[in-house]
Amino acid sequence: MSATNEQWRVRVDPTRCIGSGICAGTAPGHFVLVSGLSRPLAERVAPDDALVDAADSCPMEAIIVSEADGPRRIAPEP
Ligand code: SF4
């Protein structure tokens, strides 16, 4: 698979999220708050630096961005 076909998987751990809304502010195209918890708008997405920023900004490290089809974690830094 070439780099242009790469997809990322986005997850929010609901047991860690405190509903700060930072991710929805940092990457409004990727996260929405539902009943006080963040939820990814889509689980499989094209690579987007805004996702890395959101994962790095989450105070609870609740956001995990990884390769969609592999084990490599993209953000936050392992
Ligand atoms: S930044 Fe983290 S804690 Fe805040 S709403 Fe998003 S996932 Fe939840």
Side-chain angles (χ1 to χ4, degrees):
M1 182 184 286
S2 74
T4 53
N5 290 331
E6 183 179 355
Q7 289 221 299
W8 288 356
R9 181 183 306 281
V10 185
R11 281 167 293 180
V12 174
D13 182 341
T15 68
R16 298 182 72 107
C17 177
I18 57 171
S20 68
I22 294 171
C23 54
T26 304
H30 291 290
F31 299 97
V32 64
L33 287 184
V34 178
S35 301
L37 292 178
S38 174
R39 196 159 77 189
L41 287 169
E43 194 177 332
R44 289 179 71 102
V45 296
D48 185 345
D49 287 342
L51 284 166
V52 175
D53 292 342
D56 286 344
S57 300
C58 175
M60 302 305 292
E61 295 192 0
I63 299 169
I64 305 294
V65 182
S66 60
E67 283 181 321
D69 299 307
R72 185 170 65 97
R73 185 198 279 199
I74 312 286
E77 289 278 321

Short mmCIF file of all heavy atoms in Angstrom, two decimals:
data_model
loop_
_atom_site.label_atom_id
_atom_site.label_comp_id
_atom_site.label_asym_id
_atom_site.label_seq_id
_atom_site.Cartn_x
_atom_site.Cartn_y
_atom_site.Cartn_z
N MET A 1 0.85 -1.19 0.00
CA MET A 1 0.00 0.00 0.00
C MET A 1 0.89 1.25 0.00
O MET A 1 1.83 1.36 0.79
CB MET A 1 -0.88 -0.01 1.27
CG MET A 1 -1.83 1.15 1.32
SD MET A 1 -2.76 1.19 2.88
CE MET A 1 -3.91 -0.14 2.62
N SER A 2 0.62 2.18 -0.84
CA SER A 2 1.43 3.40 -0.90
C SER A 2 0.99 4.37 0.19
O SER A 2 -0.10 4.24 0.76
CB SER A 2 1.28 4.08 -2.26
OG SER A 2 0.03 4.70 -2.36
N ALA A 3 1.83 5.35 0.46
CA ALA A 3 1.54 6.31 1.53
C ALA A 3 0.24 7.07 1.25
O ALA A 3 -0.47 7.45 2.16
CB ALA A 3 2.70 7.27 1.69
N THR A 4 -0.06 7.27 -0.03
CA THR A 4 -1.25 8.06 -0.35
C THR A 4 -2.53 7.31 -0.01
O THR A 4 -3.58 7.91 0.12
CB THR A 4 -1.27 8.44 -1.84
OG1 THR A 4 -1.11 7.26 -2.61
CG2 THR A 4 -0.17 9.42 -2.17
N ASN A 5 -2.41 5.99 0.12
CA ASN A 5 -3.59 5.20 0.48
C ASN A 5 -3.71 4.98 1.98
O ASN A 5 -4.65 4.33 2.44
CB ASN A 5 -3.55 3.83 -0.21
CG ASN A 5 -3.78 3.96 -1.70
OD1 ASN A 5 -4.44 4.88 -2.15
ND2 ASN A 5 -3.21 3.05 -2.46
N GLU A 6 -2.74 5.50 2.74
CA GLU A 6 -2.74 5.25 4.17
C GLU A 6 -4.00 5.79 4.82
O GLU A 6 -4.49 6.87 4.47
CB GLU A 6 -1.51 5.90 4.82
CG GLU A 6 -1.41 5.60 6.31
CD GLU A 6 -0.18 6.23 6.94
OE1 GLU A 6 0.63 6.82 6.22
OE2 GLU A 6 -0.06 6.12 8.17
N GLN A 7 -4.51 5.03 5.77
CA GLN A 7 -5.64 5.51 6.55
C GLN A 7 -5.31 5.39 8.02
O GLN A 7 -4.53 4.51 8.42
CB GLN A 7 -6.88 4.68 6.23
CG GLN A 7 -7.43 4.97 4.85
CD GLN A 7 -8.94 5.05 4.85
OE1 GLN A 7 -9.59 4.08 5.18
NE2 GLN A 7 -9.50 6.19 4.49
N TRP A 8 -5.88 6.25 8.80
CA TRP A 8 -5.68 6.22 10.23
C TRP A 8 -6.98 5.81 10.93
O TRP A 8 -8.07 6.02 10.41
CB TRP A 8 -5.29 7.61 10.75
CG TRP A 8 -3.90 8.03 10.37
CD1 TRP A 8 -2.96 7.29 9.71
CD2 TRP A 8 -3.30 9.30 10.65
NE1 TRP A 8 -1.81 8.04 9.56
CE2 TRP A 8 -1.99 9.27 10.13
CE3 TRP A 8 -3.74 10.46 11.28
CZ2 TRP A 8 -1.13 10.35 10.22
CZ3 TRP A 8 -2.89 11.54 11.38
CH2 TRP A 8 -1.58 11.48 10.85
N ARG A 9 -6.79 5.21 12.10
CA ARG A 9 -7.93 4.85 12.93
C ARG A 9 -7.92 5.78 14.16
O ARG A 9 -6.88 5.99 14.78
CB ARG A 9 -7.81 3.40 13.39
CG ARG A 9 -8.98 2.93 14.25
CD ARG A 9 -8.79 1.50 14.74
NE ARG A 9 -8.52 0.56 13.66
CZ ARG A 9 -9.45 0.05 12.87
NH1 ARG A 9 -10.71 0.37 13.05
NH2 ARG A 9 -9.12 -0.79 11.91
N VAL A 10 -9.09 6.32 14.46
CA VAL A 10 -9.22 7.26 15.57
C VAL A 10 -10.14 6.66 16.63
O VAL A 10 -11.24 6.20 16.31
CB VAL A 10 -9.85 8.59 15.09
CG1 VAL A 10 -9.87 9.60 16.23
CG2 VAL A 10 -9.09 9.15 13.90
N ARG A 11 -9.64 6.64 17.85
CA ARG A 11 -10.47 6.14 18.95
C ARG A 11 -10.42 7.11 20.13
O ARG A 11 -9.40 7.75 20.36
CB ARG A 11 -9.98 4.77 19.41
CG ARG A 11 -10.42 3.62 18.51
CD ARG A 11 -9.66 2.36 18.80
NE ARG A 11 -8.25 2.53 18.43
CZ ARG A 11 -7.33 1.60 18.56
NH1 ARG A 11 -7.64 0.44 19.07
NH2 ARG A 11 -6.08 1.82 18.20
N VAL A 12 -11.52 7.19 20.85
CA VAL A 12 -11.56 7.93 22.11
C VAL A 12 -11.93 6.93 23.20
O VAL A 12 -12.94 6.23 23.09
CB VAL A 12 -12.60 9.07 22.08
CG1 VAL A 12 -12.71 9.71 23.45
CG2 VAL A 12 -12.20 10.12 21.04
N ASP A 13 -11.11 6.87 24.23
CA ASP A 13 -11.39 5.98 25.35
C ASP A 13 -12.41 6.67 26.26
O ASP A 13 -12.08 7.66 26.93
CB ASP A 13 -10.09 5.70 26.11
CG ASP A 13 -10.29 4.74 27.26
OD1 ASP A 13 -11.44 4.56 27.71
OD2 ASP A 13 -9.27 4.19 27.74
N PRO A 14 -13.63 6.17 26.30
CA PRO A 14 -14.68 6.85 27.08
C PRO A 14 -14.43 6.78 28.59
O PRO A 14 -15.02 7.55 29.34
CB PRO A 14 -15.96 6.11 26.69
CG PRO A 14 -15.50 4.77 26.23
CD PRO A 14 -14.13 4.97 25.64
N THR A 15 -13.56 5.87 29.00
CA THR A 15 -13.27 5.78 30.44
C THR A 15 -12.23 6.83 30.86
O THR A 15 -12.04 7.05 32.06
CB THR A 15 -12.74 4.38 30.82
OG1 THR A 15 -11.45 4.18 30.25
CG2 THR A 15 -13.71 3.30 30.36
N ARG A 16 -11.58 7.45 29.88
CA ARG A 16 -10.59 8.48 30.19
C ARG A 16 -11.10 9.89 29.88
O ARG A 16 -10.70 10.85 30.53
CB ARG A 16 -9.29 8.23 29.41
CG ARG A 16 -8.63 6.91 29.75
CD ARG A 16 -7.34 6.74 28.99
NE ARG A 16 -6.29 7.61 29.49
CZ ARG A 16 -5.25 7.20 30.21
NH1 ARG A 16 -5.12 5.94 30.48
NH2 ARG A 16 -4.35 8.04 30.64
N CYS A 17 -11.94 10.02 28.87
CA CYS A 17 -12.41 11.34 28.43
C CYS A 17 -13.17 12.03 29.57
O CYS A 17 -14.02 11.43 30.23
CB CYS A 17 -13.33 11.18 27.21
SG CYS A 17 -14.04 12.74 26.65
N ILE A 18 -12.84 13.33 29.77
CA ILE A 18 -13.54 14.12 30.78
C ILE A 18 -14.40 15.21 30.13
O ILE A 18 -14.90 16.09 30.80
CB ILE A 18 -12.55 14.76 31.77
CG1 ILE A 18 -11.52 15.63 31.03
CG2 ILE A 18 -11.88 13.69 32.63
CD1 ILE A 18 -10.65 16.47 31.95
N GLY A 19 -14.53 15.14 28.80
CA GLY A 19 -15.42 16.06 28.11
C GLY A 19 -14.95 17.50 28.08
O GLY A 19 -15.76 18.42 28.04
N SER A 20 -13.64 17.69 28.07
CA SER A 20 -13.11 19.06 28.06
C SER A 20 -13.44 19.81 26.78
O SER A 20 -13.50 21.03 26.78
CB SER A 20 -11.58 19.02 28.24
OG SER A 20 -10.97 18.46 27.08
N GLY A 21 -13.61 19.08 25.71
CA GLY A 21 -13.94 19.72 24.43
C GLY A 21 -12.74 20.24 23.66
O GLY A 21 -12.89 20.84 22.60
N ILE A 22 -11.55 20.02 24.20
CA ILE A 22 -10.35 20.54 23.52
C ILE A 22 -10.22 19.92 22.13
O ILE A 22 -9.89 20.60 21.16
CB ILE A 22 -9.10 20.25 24.37
CG1 ILE A 22 -9.15 21.05 25.68
CG2 ILE A 22 -7.82 20.59 23.59
CD1 ILE A 22 -8.07 20.67 26.67
N CYS A 23 -10.49 18.63 22.04
CA CYS A 23 -10.34 17.96 20.74
C CYS A 23 -11.31 18.51 19.70
O CYS A 23 -10.94 18.73 18.55
CB CYS A 23 -10.52 16.45 20.89
SG CYS A 23 -12.07 15.98 21.68
N ALA A 24 -12.55 18.75 20.12
CA ALA A 24 -13.54 19.28 19.18
C ALA A 24 -13.17 20.70 18.75
O ALA A 24 -13.49 21.13 17.65
CB ALA A 24 -14.93 19.26 19.82
N GLY A 25 -12.47 21.43 19.63
CA GLY A 25 -12.01 22.76 19.26
C GLY A 25 -10.80 22.70 18.36
O GLY A 25 -10.66 23.50 17.44
N THR A 26 -9.91 21.72 18.61
CA THR A 26 -8.69 21.59 17.84
C THR A 26 -8.95 20.97 16.47
O THR A 26 -8.35 21.37 15.48
CB THR A 26 -7.67 20.70 18.60
OG1 THR A 26 -7.45 21.27 19.89
CG2 THR A 26 -6.35 20.60 17.86
N ALA A 27 -9.84 20.01 16.43
CA ALA A 27 -10.13 19.29 15.19
C ALA A 27 -11.64 19.12 15.05
O ALA A 27 -12.17 18.01 15.18
CB ALA A 27 -9.42 17.93 15.20
N PRO A 28 -12.35 20.22 14.78
CA PRO A 28 -13.81 20.15 14.75
C PRO A 28 -14.35 19.24 13.65
O PRO A 28 -15.49 18.80 13.72
CB PRO A 28 -14.24 21.61 14.53
CG PRO A 28 -13.03 22.31 13.99
CD PRO A 28 -11.84 21.58 14.55
N GLY A 29 -13.52 18.95 12.66
CA GLY A 29 -13.96 18.04 11.61
C GLY A 29 -13.87 16.58 12.00
O GLY A 29 -14.29 15.71 11.25
N HIS A 30 -13.32 16.32 13.19
CA HIS A 30 -13.07 14.93 13.57
C HIS A 30 -13.75 14.49 14.86
O HIS A 30 -13.89 13.29 15.10
CB HIS A 30 -11.57 14.68 13.72
CG HIS A 30 -10.83 14.73 12.42
ND1 HIS A 30 -10.98 13.77 11.45
CD2 HIS A 30 -9.97 15.65 11.91
CE1 HIS A 30 -10.21 14.08 10.40
NE2 HIS A 30 -9.60 15.21 10.66
N PHE A 31 -14.11 15.46 15.72
CA PHE A 31 -14.67 15.07 17.02
C PHE A 31 -15.93 15.87 17.31
O PHE A 31 -16.05 17.04 16.96
CB PHE A 31 -13.66 15.33 18.15
CG PHE A 31 -12.39 14.55 18.00
CD1 PHE A 31 -11.28 15.13 17.42
CD2 PHE A 31 -12.31 13.23 18.42
CE1 PHE A 31 -10.10 14.41 17.26
CE2 PHE A 31 -11.14 12.51 18.27
CZ PHE A 31 -10.03 13.10 17.69
N VAL A 32 -16.85 15.22 18.00
CA VAL A 32 -18.06 15.88 18.46
C VAL A 32 -18.32 15.43 19.89
O VAL A 32 -18.00 14.29 20.26
CB VAL A 32 -19.26 15.55 17.53
CG1 VAL A 32 -19.60 14.07 17.56
CG2 VAL A 32 -20.47 16.40 17.88
N LEU A 33 -18.83 16.34 20.70
CA LEU A 33 -19.18 15.96 22.07
C LEU A 33 -20.61 15.47 22.11
O LEU A 33 -21.53 16.15 21.65
CB LEU A 33 -19.02 17.15 23.02
CG LEU A 33 -17.59 17.58 23.37
CD1 LEU A 33 -17.63 18.69 24.40
CD2 LEU A 33 -16.77 16.42 23.88
N VAL A 34 -20.80 14.29 22.66
CA VAL A 34 -22.12 13.70 22.80
C VAL A 34 -22.31 13.32 24.26
O VAL A 34 -21.53 12.52 24.79
CB VAL A 34 -22.29 12.45 21.90
CG1 VAL A 34 -23.67 11.84 22.09
CG2 VAL A 34 -22.06 12.81 20.44
N SER A 35 -23.30 13.92 24.89
CA SER A 35 -23.57 13.64 26.31
C SER A 35 -22.30 13.79 27.16
O SER A 35 -22.03 12.98 28.04
CB SER A 35 -24.14 12.23 26.47
OG SER A 35 -25.33 12.10 25.74
N GLY A 36 -21.53 14.83 26.85
CA GLY A 36 -20.37 15.14 27.67
C GLY A 36 -19.13 14.33 27.39
O GLY A 36 -18.14 14.45 28.11
N LEU A 37 -19.16 13.49 26.35
CA LEU A 37 -17.99 12.71 25.98
C LEU A 37 -17.67 12.93 24.51
O LEU A 37 -18.59 13.08 23.68
CB LEU A 37 -18.21 11.22 26.22
CG LEU A 37 -18.34 10.75 27.66
CD1 LEU A 37 -18.60 9.25 27.69
CD2 LEU A 37 -17.09 11.09 28.46
N SER A 38 -16.39 12.93 24.21
CA SER A 38 -15.98 13.10 22.82
C SER A 38 -16.18 11.81 22.04
O SER A 38 -15.99 10.71 22.57
CB SER A 38 -14.50 13.49 22.77
OG SER A 38 -14.06 13.52 21.43
N ARG A 39 -16.55 11.99 20.78
CA ARG A 39 -16.70 10.83 19.90
C ARG A 39 -16.11 11.18 18.54
O ARG A 39 -16.37 12.28 18.03
CB ARG A 39 -18.19 10.52 19.76
CG ARG A 39 -18.48 9.15 19.22
CD ARG A 39 -19.89 8.70 19.58
NE ARG A 39 -20.87 9.35 18.72
CZ ARG A 39 -22.18 9.29 18.92
NH1 ARG A 39 -22.66 8.65 19.96
NH2 ARG A 39 -23.00 9.88 18.09
N PRO A 40 -15.35 10.27 17.95
CA PRO A 40 -14.85 10.54 16.60
C PRO A 40 -16.01 10.57 15.61
O PRO A 40 -16.92 9.75 15.68
CB PRO A 40 -13.92 9.36 16.30
CG PRO A 40 -13.70 8.67 17.59
CD PRO A 40 -14.88 8.98 18.45
N LEU A 41 -15.97 11.51 14.68
CA LEU A 41 -17.01 11.55 13.65
C LEU A 41 -16.86 10.37 12.70
O LEU A 41 -17.85 9.89 12.15
CB LEU A 41 -16.92 12.87 12.88
CG LEU A 41 -17.41 14.09 13.66
CD1 LEU A 41 -17.05 15.38 12.93
CD2 LEU A 41 -18.91 14.03 13.87
N ALA A 42 -15.63 9.94 12.49
CA ALA A 42 -15.37 8.76 11.67
C ALA A 42 -14.20 8.02 12.28
O ALA A 42 -13.27 8.62 12.80
CB ALA A 42 -15.04 9.15 10.24
N GLU A 43 -14.26 6.69 12.24
CA GLU A 43 -13.19 5.91 12.84
C GLU A 43 -12.01 5.75 11.90
O GLU A 43 -10.87 5.77 12.32
CB GLU A 43 -13.72 4.53 13.24
CG GLU A 43 -12.77 3.79 14.17
CD GLU A 43 -13.33 2.45 14.62
OE1 GLU A 43 -14.57 2.32 14.69
OE2 GLU A 43 -12.54 1.55 14.88
N ARG A 44 -12.28 5.61 10.62
CA ARG A 44 -11.21 5.51 9.61
C ARG A 44 -11.17 6.81 8.83
O ARG A 44 -12.19 7.22 8.25
CB ARG A 44 -11.47 4.35 8.65
CG ARG A 44 -11.29 2.99 9.26
CD ARG A 44 -11.60 1.93 8.23
NE ARG A 44 -10.59 1.86 7.19
CZ ARG A 44 -9.66 0.91 7.16
NH1 ARG A 44 -9.62 -0.03 8.05
NH2 ARG A 44 -8.75 0.92 6.20
N VAL A 45 -10.00 7.43 8.83
CA VAL A 45 -9.89 8.74 8.18
C VAL A 45 -8.57 8.82 7.41
O VAL A 45 -7.63 8.07 7.67
CB VAL A 45 -9.94 9.89 9.21
CG1 VAL A 45 -11.29 9.91 9.91
CG2 VAL A 45 -8.82 9.75 10.22
N ALA A 46 -8.51 9.76 6.50
CA ALA A 46 -7.25 10.08 5.84
C ALA A 46 -6.34 10.78 6.85
O ALA A 46 -6.84 11.47 7.75
CB ALA A 46 -7.50 10.98 4.63
N PRO A 47 -5.03 10.59 6.74
CA PRO A 47 -4.11 11.27 7.66
C PRO A 47 -4.35 12.77 7.69
O PRO A 47 -4.59 13.39 6.66
CB PRO A 47 -2.73 10.93 7.06
CG PRO A 47 -2.94 9.62 6.39
CD PRO A 47 -4.33 9.70 5.80
N ASP A 48 -4.32 13.32 8.90
CA ASP A 48 -4.60 14.74 9.08
C ASP A 48 -3.84 15.20 10.33
O ASP A 48 -4.03 14.64 11.41
CB ASP A 48 -6.10 14.95 9.26
CG ASP A 48 -6.47 16.43 9.34
OD1 ASP A 48 -5.58 17.28 9.55
OD2 ASP A 48 -7.68 16.73 9.22
N ASP A 49 -2.99 16.22 10.15
CA ASP A 49 -2.19 16.71 11.28
C ASP A 49 -3.07 17.20 12.43
O ASP A 49 -2.63 17.18 13.59
CB ASP A 49 -1.27 17.84 10.83
CG ASP A 49 -0.10 17.33 10.00
OD1 ASP A 49 0.18 16.12 10.05
OD2 ASP A 49 0.53 18.15 9.30
N ALA A 50 -4.29 17.62 12.12
CA ALA A 50 -5.18 18.10 13.19
C ALA A 50 -5.47 16.99 14.19
O ALA A 50 -5.68 17.25 15.38
CB ALA A 50 -6.49 18.63 12.59
N LEU A 51 -5.45 15.74 13.73
CA LEU A 51 -5.68 14.62 14.64
C LEU A 51 -4.51 14.44 15.59
O LEU A 51 -4.71 14.11 16.77
CB LEU A 51 -5.89 13.33 13.83
CG LEU A 51 -7.26 13.21 13.17
CD1 LEU A 51 -7.23 12.10 12.14
CD2 LEU A 51 -8.33 12.95 14.21
N VAL A 52 -3.31 14.63 15.08
CA VAL A 52 -2.13 14.54 15.93
C VAL A 52 -2.17 15.65 16.98
O VAL A 52 -1.90 15.42 18.17
CB VAL A 52 -0.84 14.62 15.08
CG1 VAL A 52 0.39 14.63 15.97
CG2 VAL A 52 -0.78 13.46 14.09
N ASP A 53 -2.53 16.85 16.54
CA ASP A 53 -2.62 17.97 17.48
C ASP A 53 -3.66 17.67 18.56
O ASP A 53 -3.44 17.94 19.74
CB ASP A 53 -3.01 19.26 16.74
CG ASP A 53 -1.90 19.75 15.81
OD1 ASP A 53 -0.75 19.30 15.99
OD2 ASP A 53 -2.20 20.56 14.91
N ALA A 54 -4.80 17.12 18.15
CA ALA A 54 -5.86 16.84 19.12
C ALA A 54 -5.41 15.77 20.11
O ALA A 54 -5.62 15.91 21.32
CB ALA A 54 -7.13 16.39 18.39
N ALA A 55 -4.78 14.72 19.61
CA ALA A 55 -4.33 13.64 20.49
C ALA A 55 -3.27 14.15 21.46
O ALA A 55 -3.26 13.78 22.64
CB ALA A 55 -3.80 12.47 19.67
N ASP A 56 -2.38 15.01 20.95
CA ASP A 56 -1.32 15.54 21.81
C ASP A 56 -1.88 16.55 22.81
O ASP A 56 -1.27 16.79 23.86
CB ASP A 56 -0.23 16.21 20.96
CG ASP A 56 0.64 15.20 20.24
OD1 ASP A 56 0.62 14.01 20.62
OD2 ASP A 56 1.34 15.59 19.30
N SER A 57 -3.02 17.17 22.49
CA SER A 57 -3.60 18.21 23.36
C SER A 57 -4.53 17.66 24.42
O SER A 57 -4.85 18.35 25.39
CB SER A 57 -4.37 19.22 22.51
OG SER A 57 -3.53 19.84 21.56
N CYS A 58 -4.99 16.43 24.22
CA CYS A 58 -5.96 15.88 25.17
C CYS A 58 -5.31 15.72 26.55
O CYS A 58 -4.29 15.04 26.69
CB CYS A 58 -6.46 14.51 24.69
SG CYS A 58 -7.53 13.71 25.90
N PRO A 59 -5.88 16.34 27.57
CA PRO A 59 -5.26 16.28 28.90
C PRO A 59 -5.31 14.89 29.51
O PRO A 59 -4.57 14.60 30.45
CB PRO A 59 -6.09 17.28 29.71
CG PRO A 59 -7.41 17.35 29.02
CD PRO A 59 -7.12 17.14 27.56
N MET A 60 -6.17 14.02 29.01
CA MET A 60 -6.32 12.68 29.58
C MET A 60 -5.69 11.59 28.70
O MET A 60 -5.80 10.41 29.02
CB MET A 60 -7.82 12.37 29.75
CG MET A 60 -8.56 13.35 30.63
SD MET A 60 -7.80 13.51 32.27
CE MET A 60 -8.15 11.88 32.93
N GLU A 61 -5.06 12.00 27.61
CA GLU A 61 -4.53 11.03 26.63
C GLU A 61 -5.60 10.00 26.28
O GLU A 61 -5.33 8.79 26.20
CB GLU A 61 -3.25 10.36 27.14
CG GLU A 61 -2.11 11.36 27.29
CD GLU A 61 -0.75 10.71 27.52
OE1 GLU A 61 -0.67 9.46 27.57
OE2 GLU A 61 0.23 11.45 27.65
N ALA A 62 -6.80 10.49 26.07
CA ALA A 62 -7.93 9.60 25.76
C ALA A 62 -8.02 9.30 24.27
O ALA A 62 -8.74 8.38 23.88
CB ALA A 62 -9.23 10.23 26.24
N ILE A 63 -7.33 10.10 23.46
CA ILE A 63 -7.42 9.94 22.00
C ILE A 63 -6.24 9.12 21.52
O ILE A 63 -5.09 9.44 21.82
CB ILE A 63 -7.41 11.31 21.30
CG1 ILE A 63 -8.61 12.14 21.74
CG2 ILE A 63 -7.42 11.13 19.78
CD1 ILE A 63 -8.54 13.59 21.30
N ILE A 64 -6.52 8.06 20.80
CA ILE A 64 -5.47 7.24 20.22
C ILE A 64 -5.63 7.26 18.71
O ILE A 64 -6.69 6.90 18.18
CB ILE A 64 -5.55 5.77 20.71
CG1 ILE A 64 -5.52 5.71 22.23
CG2 ILE A 64 -4.42 4.94 20.10
CD1 ILE A 64 -4.24 6.18 22.86
N VAL A 65 -4.59 7.67 18.03
CA VAL A 65 -4.56 7.65 16.57
C VAL A 65 -3.54 6.61 16.15
O VAL A 65 -2.39 6.66 16.60
CB VAL A 65 -4.19 9.03 15.99
CG1 VAL A 65 -4.22 8.99 14.47
CG2 VAL A 65 -5.12 10.11 16.52
N SER A 66 -3.97 5.67 15.34
CA SER A 66 -3.06 4.60 14.91
C SER A 66 -3.27 4.33 13.43
O SER A 66 -4.22 4.84 12.81
CB SER A 66 -3.30 3.33 15.72
OG SER A 66 -4.64 2.88 15.55
N GLU A 67 -2.38 3.52 12.88
CA GLU A 67 -2.59 3.04 11.52
C GLU A 67 -3.91 2.27 11.49
O GLU A 67 -4.19 1.49 12.41
CB GLU A 67 -1.50 2.04 11.13
CG GLU A 67 -0.18 2.63 10.77
CD GLU A 67 0.78 1.51 10.40
OE1 GLU A 67 0.75 0.44 11.03
OE2 GLU A 67 1.55 1.70 9.48
N ALA A 68 -4.66 2.43 10.41
CA ALA A 68 -5.92 1.70 10.32
C ALA A 68 -5.69 0.20 10.16
O ALA A 68 -6.45 -0.61 10.67
CB ALA A 68 -6.76 2.24 9.17
N ASP A 69 -4.63 -0.14 9.46
CA ASP A 69 -4.42 -1.55 9.13
C ASP A 69 -3.11 -2.09 9.69
O ASP A 69 -2.53 -3.02 9.14
CB ASP A 69 -4.47 -1.74 7.61
CG ASP A 69 -5.82 -1.32 7.06
OD1 ASP A 69 -6.85 -1.82 7.56
OD2 ASP A 69 -5.85 -0.48 6.14
N GLY A 70 -2.65 -1.49 10.76
CA GLY A 70 -1.41 -1.96 11.35
C GLY A 70 -1.35 -1.55 12.80
O GLY A 70 -2.24 -0.87 13.29
N PRO A 71 -0.29 -1.97 13.48
CA PRO A 71 -0.19 -1.73 14.91
C PRO A 71 0.43 -0.38 15.28
O PRO A 71 0.45 -0.01 16.45
CB PRO A 71 0.72 -2.86 15.37
CG PRO A 71 1.62 -3.09 14.20
CD PRO A 71 0.78 -2.82 12.97
N ARG A 72 0.95 0.36 14.29
CA ARG A 72 1.74 1.55 14.62
C ARG A 72 0.87 2.66 15.19
O ARG A 72 -0.14 3.05 14.60
CB ARG A 72 2.48 2.06 13.38
CG ARG A 72 3.41 3.23 13.64
CD ARG A 72 4.27 3.49 12.42
NE ARG A 72 3.48 3.91 11.27
CZ ARG A 72 3.30 5.18 10.92
NH1 ARG A 72 3.84 6.15 11.62
NH2 ARG A 72 2.59 5.48 9.85
N ARG A 73 1.27 3.17 16.34
CA ARG A 73 0.55 4.30 16.91
C ARG A 73 1.12 5.58 16.33
O ARG A 73 2.32 5.76 16.26
CB ARG A 73 0.69 4.30 18.43
CG ARG A 73 -0.16 5.41 19.05
CD ARG A 73 0.26 5.72 20.45
NE ARG A 73 -0.28 4.76 21.42
CZ ARG A 73 -0.37 5.00 22.71
NH1 ARG A 73 0.04 6.14 23.19
NH2 ARG A 73 -0.86 4.09 23.52
N ILE A 74 0.21 6.47 15.92
CA ILE A 74 0.62 7.75 15.34
C ILE A 74 0.71 8.81 16.44
O ILE A 74 1.65 9.58 16.50
CB ILE A 74 -0.40 8.21 14.27
CG1 ILE A 74 -0.75 7.09 13.29
CG2 ILE A 74 0.06 9.48 13.57
CD1 ILE A 74 0.28 6.76 12.28
N ALA A 75 -0.30 8.87 17.28
CA ALA A 75 -0.32 9.89 18.34
C ALA A 75 -1.26 9.42 19.45
O ALA A 75 -2.23 8.71 19.19
CB ALA A 75 -0.81 11.22 17.77
N PRO A 76 -1.04 9.83 20.71
CA PRO A 76 0.14 10.58 21.12
C PRO A 76 1.40 9.71 21.02
O PRO A 76 1.30 8.49 20.85
CB PRO A 76 -0.16 10.94 22.57
CG PRO A 76 -1.14 9.92 23.04
CD PRO A 76 -1.94 9.53 21.83
N GLU A 77 2.53 10.34 21.12
CA GLU A 77 3.80 9.62 21.02
C GLU A 77 3.83 8.48 22.03
O GLU A 77 3.52 8.69 23.20
CB GLU A 77 4.96 10.57 21.33
CG GLU A 77 5.21 11.61 20.24
CD GLU A 77 6.03 11.04 19.09
OE1 GLU A 77 6.96 10.27 19.37
OE2 GLU A 77 5.74 11.38 17.95
N PRO A 78 4.14 7.26 21.57
CA PRO A 78 4.19 6.14 22.52
C PRO A 78 5.25 6.37 23.61
O PRO A 78 6.21 7.04 23.37
CB PRO A 78 4.59 4.95 21.64
CG PRO A 78 4.34 5.36 20.23
CD PRO A 78 4.44 6.87 20.21
S1 SF4 B 1 -9.65 16.53 24.63
FE1 SF4 B 1 -9.64 14.47 25.56
S2 SF4 B 1 -10.72 14.69 27.49
FE2 SF4 B 1 -11.21 16.49 26.26
S3 SF4 B 1 -13.14 15.95 25.21
FE3 SF4 B 1 -11.44 15.40 23.84
S4 SF4 B 1 -11.01 13.22 24.29
FE4 SF4 B 1 -12.23 14.04 25.99
#
